[in-house]
Structures are given as C-alpha cells and as structure tokens.
Amino acid sequence: MWKKRSYDDSERLEYLQTLVTEFQDTDSEEAKEQVLANLANFAYDPKNIEHLKELQVTDLFLDMLTEENENFVEFGLGGLCNLSMDPECQDIILQSSGISLVTNCLSSQREETVLSAITTLMNLISPSSRSEITNAAMVQCMLRFSLSESPRLRNLAAVFLQDCCTEEEVAQFKQQMQGQQTAVGIPLPKD
Amino acid sequence: MAAPVGSSSGCWSAPEVYRHHEQRRVCISRPKYREGRKAKAVKVYTINLESRYVMIQGVPAIGVMSELIQLCALYGVVEEYRPLDEYPAEEFTEVYLVKFQKLTSARAAKRYMDEKSFYGGVLHVCYVPEYETVEDTRLKLQDRKRYVVRTVQNKAREEEKRRILKEDTVSADLATTSETIITRPDTEKPETSNIGHYYGFPLLPLPPQESPYNPHRGMPKEDKMGTLYTAVTETNPQPISGSSQPSSDRDRSTRQKVNSEQSAAVRFVPRTTQLENRKRKMEEDVEHLSADPQSNNEPLIGPKLPEPPKIDMEDESLNTTMNMIRNTMKKVESVSCPKPLEKKVKPRRRI
C-alpha cells in the first residue's frame, strides 16, 4: 500500500515536471494557457504543493502576473491563490516581492483575478508583512470594493476589512478617503 | 454581458447572471498526455469560486423539484433550496438554488450531477458563491486554510518518518507495515470531522485511507492470485456469526463466516453482495425455524439429523460452491415437505 502510494507520488512529480517543461518549451499561447490552468488546478490539492514548490511553480505563477494576456494573469493568480494557503509558499511569495505584484492585479478588469488577488493578499499577511498589506491604499481599495455591486467582491472585501485590519485603521482610512475624495484610480472589475 | 445588471441587489431583485454561471466551451486541443477522463474547459478553480451554494440549471419544468432535491441529498445535507423563477432559463426548464450544509457536499453534487440527464433534461450545475453571506465566505476561507495546513503538515510528517525508516535500512516489507501503523493515526482527523462547518476538502475518498481501520492487525498480505482471501481467513479464525448455533450448523455457516470476514478485512463489499449475504442469512434462519416445529417436544440441543458426509474439495472456493449447492438442496427439501403436511392436518381439525 505504502509502496504504491510513494510510486504514485513520484509519478505525479514526473507528470508535473512534464507540464512545466511543456510550458517553458512551447510557443503556442493556447497550450501555455492550458498548462498554466492545469498547474493552477494542481495547486489546489495540498498533496501537490510540495512538488510544485520543488519545481518552482510559485515563481512561474508570479511571472504570469506581469503578462499582457489576461488569461495568463487570471490563471497565474489563481494558482498563487491556491498555493498561498500553505505557509511555506507564503514565504516564497513574500521573498519574491509578491505583494506588489499581486497588489497590481487588484486593478484588473476581471472579477476572478481581483478575487484571487484579495484572497492571496489575505493569505500573505504575517506579522512581518502585515504593515505592507494593510496600508492606507489597500484599505481604501477594500473599502471601495466593499461597496461594489458584486456580492462576491463585497463579501471578500468585508472579510478583509473585518479580519485583517483593526477597526481604528478602517475608520481612520475611511475618514481620509472621504476627506480627499479620491475614489478614482482603481477601476472596478467588469465581470 | 456578465456584469451585474440591476443597481439594487436586495433579496427581491431578480437573480443576476454572472460569467461563472456559464458553461465554458470544452477544450479539444489538448495533447494526449494532458487529456483527462472527462472533457473539460480551461478554467482555474480557487476557493473563491467554490461554494456550498449551487445553482442547477436545465431542470425540466414538469414538477420534479422533490426528485431533484432527493438527488441532491445523496451528496450531503441540503439546508435550503428554492426555484430561481426570475433567472433566465431555457424554455420548459427551471433553475434551482440549493444550499448544502457543507462545501464538500456541494462539490460532490457538482461533480456527479453536472451534465447528467435528469427526466429528459441535461443538468448544468455550477457554484454560486454570490449567494454567500460575509460569514459564509469567512468560514469557507478559514476552513480551506486549515485544511491545507493540516494536510501539508501530515504529509511532511509522513515523509519524515519514511525517511527515518529508510535510513534505518529496515527491509522494505517491514517498513511498509510499521509505517502504516505509526502514521495512520496522524492522517485521521477525528477531532474536526463532524464539527467543522465546511470540513475537509478531499478531492476523492482516497483508497489508501481504507486501510487504517485496524492498525493493530497489520496489513493483510496478498496471495499469488492478488486476493486477500487466504490471508484474511488465517489471521482471524474466530467465527463472527454462528457462534451460538448448534454444532451441526457450524459447517454450514463457514461459507457465511468467510464472507463476513472478508468484508471485515477489505472493508468494501458491494451493496448487492451485502444484500445477497443478508438474504442468504435470513433464508437460513427461516430454514431453522421451519425445521423447528417438527421437533417441538425435543430439546434443541445436539444434532437433529445426521448430515450427509461432506467431501473436502481441498479448495475453498469449490467447498463454498459445494456448500451452496447443499444448502439449496436442503432448502428445497425442507420447504416442500412441511407445507403439504400442515394442509392435510388443518381440514381434519375443522371437521
């Protein structure tokens, strides 16, 4: 039983390796999208996280965040959202200056991308990274999201504000926002 | 197209159509090695997209709501459900919103009901996280995170132990057995199994987890035919059923005993087999009962009739077949005899 399982395990690593190799070798945009989606979905199962770390898929996902292709961004960030549940992956993402990369995705036009970004950022909060994530701009962005017409975005932003920030912070930044009237800047996602 | 339409989104407004409700086009350009068992679209699932709320489209409008909910209930407790009358539906179909108690149930329901035919329609099942409350969303994220952390830790622990065992250069076979014994308690998570609101995110009921039921017994070894048959009967010689049966029935119950032992060890018996076993058992009981009235005055101890000598075929499966034939023969005899007797007796009494 055990033998079989570890065999499956190494087989899985091999398969993931094949995917990563194809992603790097292929010139086809379509194939890249498919493989990226595959990898991001594999990241959902915690059993694969160890392998994905080994194959440095975390960096692969991070690289996608600056791509032109919106699908690349969405899938890459989806993968990061899945991986960032794991504490070790959080460290890797933090070390590769993931916060700013993910934060930039908050202005995406795609709701799925924005949602992944918020969840990833919440996952990335640690004692050392907290100040970088719950700064004024971010809280104000979440305040705006919490007024969004999309219930998913509204809910997630509410969770961010309630769980990741103190009430004083929120109140303070809210006041600042009202004073400055700078609700422009980040466009709301379209879908 | 997918953007929310109305500006007010109270509970009375029409449900909105979002992009994630759409059925994406299946991807057909995948190379062989990336092709799954099922054709699927290129889509990434995250916890944000999953939800214990699912929407079921394509339900034929022929009044089959209760049937639909019964089907849903196969996958877990349904907390709430209602038709989404305002949701744009295809002609002659209805759309339903179903709220499961657990996310895992919703996942199973989506997996097994999506694209399945149902009273002549084809269902489309999708998650509808927009129906979640803030609290739902929070719990969903918390449970997910907890699950991932726990699974990763368990896996790391198992890996660590395996490494240590390998270093100790224990023979491979020993390592596998002791390994399972040591690590199994870790992989089981009894403390949260029922409490967690959205407990667990296992993608499948994992085959390896079937083994930990009897950690003290060790793993049954396969014989050359790849069955667990002999190994199991050897390790557990006590009869499970039939311990209170008279000695003459002992032999007869061996077949039954073997069956129940098998099921105890392998832990998976198809339902039909279980039903058959149960039926057989009941039939045997009936047999005993039908034999009893004839010997009303006799004490029930000891053999009633000398049974025909049994030939040992020196093969368990052959013996089993023999027993079955013998039992069937007995049943035929015992059923055909007493009934005509009673019929003859009754009219006499009346007259």
Side-chain angles (χ1 to χ4, degrees):
Chain A
M1 186 73 79
W2 182 260
K3 259 192 200 163
K4 173 124 172 69
R5 205 168 152 194
S6 62
Y7 174 70
D8 281 351
D9 225 37
S10 64
E11 202 179 46
R12 197 185 289 227
L13 176 64
E14 215 171 278
Y15 183 77
L16 294 171
Q17 172 72 70
T18 321
L19 286 178
V20 174
T21 311
E22 186 186 348
F23 184 82
Q24 285 162 341
D25 292 352
T26 184
D27 293 325
S28 152
E29 196 97 329
E30 198 190 2
K32 264 189 165 83
E33 274 180 23
Q34 291 167 9
V35 174
L36 188 60
N38 274 162
L39 286 170
N41 282 322
F42 272 117
Y44 188 86
D45 186 350
K47 288 198 192 65
N48 298 318
I49 289 184
E50 200 58 45
H51 296 326
L52 294 172
K53 267 189 281 194
E54 206 174 312
L55 297 168
Q56 294 177 316
V57 174
T58 322
D59 290 323
L60 189 153
F61 287 153
L62 281 168
D63 284 345
M64 292 304 108
L65 302 189
T66 44
E67 287 283 331
E68 296 263 296
N69 184 331
E70 292 259 17
N71 283 338
F72 283 179
V73 181
E74 181 185 328
F75 297 164
L77 199 51
L80 282 178
C81 174
N82 287 337
L83 280 181
S84 62
M85 299 278 167
D86 171 55
E88 271 187 56
C89 284
Q90 286 159 28
D91 292 341
I92 299 173
I93 299 170
L94 287 173
Q95 277 158 24
S96 335
S97 59
I99 294 180
S100 62
L101 285 167
V102 175
T103 307
N104 286 335
C105 297
L106 288 173
S107 58
S108 166
Q109 299 283 299
R110 290 199 186 182
E111 186 177 38
E112 222 56 66
T113 307
V114 177
L115 292 169
S116 294
I118 300 175
T119 308
T120 309
L121 286 169
M122 283 201 278
N123 286 336
L124 289 179
I125 292 179
S126 70
S128 58
S129 65
R130 194 180 170 277
S131 58
E132 206 183 331
I133 294 173
T134 60
N135 56 24
M138 191 81 78
V139 173
Q140 282 167 1
C141 175
M142 293 303 154
L143 281 167
R144 271 165 37 76
F145 284 158
S146 69
L147 302 171
S148 155
E149 276 173 9
S150 155
R152 294 173 69 199
L153 192 56
R154 232 171 24 222
N155 284 345
L156 203 58
V159 173
F160 185 99
L161 291 171
Q162 288 168 22
D163 293 7
C164 305
C165 316
T166 61
E167 275 177 43
E168 296 82 60
E169 276 174 339
V170 176
Q172 185 201 332
F173 295 136
K174 205 173 187 173
Q175 216 169 12
Q176 275 182 22
M177 201 165 93
Q178 279 163 348
Q180 292 170 2
Q181 290 293 329
T182 52
V184 267
I186 299 168
L188 286 169
K190 277 182 181 159
D191 48 28
Chain B
M1 117 195 100
V5 192
S7 56
S8 67
S9 46
C11 61
W12 299 111
S13 64
E16 283 155 1
V17 184
Y18 291 93
R19 195 165 156 246
H20 63 264
H21 298 174
E22 269 173 53
Q23 200 152 21
R24 304 277 183 88
R25 211 175 298 152
V26 157
C27 169
I28 46 161
S29 62
R30 286 194 182 98
K32 197 83 186 167
Y33 94 102
R34 283 199 272 108
E35 246 170 42
R37 252 160 287 178
K38 238 169 137 183
K40 283 187 176 162
V42 182
K43 189 171 182 177
V44 171
Y45 274 95
T46 67
I47 190 63
N48 292 320
L49 201 56
E50 287 193 305
S51 178
R52 61 189 182 120
Y53 294 79
V54 296
M55 185 167 70
I56 303 171
Q57 291 173 268
V59 184
I62 49 170
V64 284
M65 181 171 80
S66 61
E67 284 80 0
L68 180 77
I69 302 307
Q70 276 167 17
L71 182 64
C72 287
L74 289 178
Y75 304 103
V77 179
V78 174
E79 251 178 31
E80 271 180 57
Y81 60 90
R82 63 180 168 95
L84 293 175
D85 291 330
E86 302 83 11
Y87 195 91
E90 250 177 66
E91 220 180 348
F92 311 121
T93 69
E94 287 170 343
V95 181
Y96 285 89
L97 174 71
V98 178
K99 176 184 173 189
F100 284 96
Q101 198 177 54
K102 290 181 183 172
L103 176 56
T104 41
S105 315
R107 187 184 294 150
K110 177 175 167 13
R111 181 172 176 163
Y112 294 109
M113 286 168 65
D114 193 23
E115 287 180 38
K116 294 285 148 63
S117 75
F118 179 76
Y119 288 92
V122 177
L123 300 179
H124 171 50
V125 185
C126 64
Y127 300 116
V128 278
E130 60 269 22
Y131 284 94
E132 286 173 358
T133 62
V134 174
E135 194 53 29
D136 282 328
T137 309
R138 171 182 292 123
L139 283 172
K140 176 176 86 170
L141 290 171
Q142 281 175 358
D143 281 352
R144 171 74 191 156
K145 204 163 181 179
R146 226 175 288 146
Y147 170 75
V148 171
V149 168
R150 206 170 44 209
T151 313
V152 169
Q153 278 174 355
N154 286 337
K155 206 183 169 225
R157 221 175 294 158
E158 278 180 19
E159 207 93 327
E160 182 69 14
K161 273 178 183 147
R162 197 167 50 143
R163 203 172 50 80
I164 291 166
L165 278 170
K166 262 189 187 167
E167 278 171 10
D168 291 348
T169 59
V170 186
S171 76
D173 267 16
L174 275 176
T176 44
T177 30
S178 52
E179 183 77 11
T180 33
I181 292 163
I182 298 162
T183 54
R184 284 314 171 188
D186 297 339
T187 54
E188 288 171 341
K189 308 133 190 159
E191 76 282 2
T192 44
S193 57
N194 292 321
I195 306 155
H197 193 54
Y198 293 98
Y199 163 68
F201 293 83
L203 295 180
L204 281 170
L206 292 167
Q209 289 180 350
E210 282 170 9
S211 57
Y213 286 101
N214 272 325
H216 52 273
R217 198 204 280 171
M219 300 304 298
K221 285 178 194 118
E222 291 182 355
D223 63 13
K224 281 173 193 164
M225 300 295 287
T227 74
L228 301 163
Y229 197 93
T230 32
V232 170
T233 39
E234 277 164 16
T235 50
N236 197 359
Q238 295 93 2
I240 287 169
S241 59
S243 53
S244 58
Q245 284 178 7
S247 57
S248 64
D249 292 337
R250 271 281 160 81
D251 290 347
R252 199 193 294 161
S253 69
T254 44
R255 169 181 44 78
Q256 194 181 316
K257 188 178 74 193
V258 163
N259 276 342
S260 56
E261 271 175 13
Q262 258 180 316
S263 65
V266 183
R267 285 287 162 178
F268 174 72
V269 176
R271 199 173 146 70
T272 45
T273 320
Q274 278 178 334
L275 287 175
E276 270 169 29
N277 283 346
R278 208 174 300 159
K279 200 175 150 197
R280 223 177 279 151
K281 242 180 247 177
M282 274 170 63
E283 277 169 359
E284 282 185 359
D285 287 346
V286 168
E287 199 180 306
H288 296 163
L289 285 176
S290 64
D292 281 344
Q294 293 175 320
S295 54
N296 254 343
N297 301 327
E298 287 172 24
L300 280 168
I301 314 148
K304 278 163 251 164
L305 284 167
E307 293 201 29
K310 280 169 191 164
I311 309 142
D312 188 15
M313 300 297 281
E314 287 176 352
D315 181 284
E316 293 209 52
S317 75
L318 284 180
N319 281 341
T320 308
T321 318
M322 289 276 291
N323 275 335
M324 271 172 75
I325 295 167
R326 236 176 254 138
N327 284 336
T328 316
M329 295 295 284
K330 244 175 241 166
K331 217 181 299 162
V332 172
E333 285 166 15
S334 62
V335 167
S336 56
C337 287
K339 273 184 183 170
L341 270 176
E342 277 175 32
K343 271 175 191 167
K344 280 173 196 166
V345 170
K346 273 181 185 170
R348 272 184 215 160
R349 274 183 199 160
R350 274 178 200 162
I351 294 163

